Amino acid sequence: MLDLQSCALAFPDRPDWVWLRWYWGVTDLLRDGVTLDDVAARERGRIGCLATPYSDFPGGPVLAADYAAEWAGLLSGAGLLPLSPALSALEAGTASAEVGPVSRVAEVVVVPPIEGWRQSAEVWRAVCAGLGAMRPVYLLNGGA
């Protein structure tokens, strides 16, 4: 028999925000609809994984990286050190944003309300990696 914790760590392969909220919405780790100021007040000085679409962004990866760069600047201005898999992917010339290296050092995950984030497998992997490591995940206002 599986216990609830085992089920909560069995993340679906594809984005399923209803499932995620059912298992994780009752915890203090998943915070939905918060502002960047809220995140800054709680997490200032910490390293944040900036989870944005990249390879699956509707406008293409270059525009996705532009949005990620803009949000990285906003996070920096709020006192967090942003690490962006999308920006790293663009710099490295890779086809997709790998969250693994970032998730090992990030202390929080921040998901800005960028077009396509709900459907993005890259955002989903970053969120699941953060929750799986028991790190706070913030879905900024504009979240589903």
Side-chain angles (χ1 to χ4, degrees):
M1 178 180 206
L2 291 175
D3 63 12
L4 192 57
Q5 183 178 13
S6 297
C7 292
L9 291 172
F11 297 101
D13 291 334
R14 293 182 231 213
D16 186 343
W17 299 98
V18 172
W19 177 92
L20 193 77
R21 284 182 179 93
W22 195 88
Y23 280 103
W24 291 92
V26 296
T27 72
D28 198 34
L29 291 176
L30 181 63
R31 299 198 177 114
D32 194 358
V34 297
T35 67
L36 185 54
D37 288 340
D38 296 332
V39 177
R42 294 182 64 101
E43 308 294 351
R44 188 175 314 277
R46 299 186 82 189
I47 300 169
C49 172
L50 176 58
T52 60
Y54 179 69
S55 65
D56 50 8
F57 183 68
V62 173
L63 185 56
D66 287 345
Y67 279 114
E70 181 180 337
W71 276 98
L74 293 170
L75 263 64
S76 291
L80 282 86
L81 174 61
L83 298 178
S84 170
L87 288 175
S88 295
L90 182 70
E91 290 292 320
T94 59
S96 65
E98 295 302 322
V99 70
V102 172
S103 68
R104 286 191 284 278
V105 296
E107 298 170 284
V108 301
V109 176
V110 178
V111 180
I114 292 176
E115 179 185 358
W117 74 265
R118 288 176 193 87
Q119 297 81 26
S120 173
E122 293 156 333
V123 170
W124 179 253
R125 285 192 299 268
V127 167
C128 294
L131 292 172
M134 301 301 157
R135 295 185 178 119
V137 171
Y138 296 93
L139 305 177
L140 296 184
N141 55 345

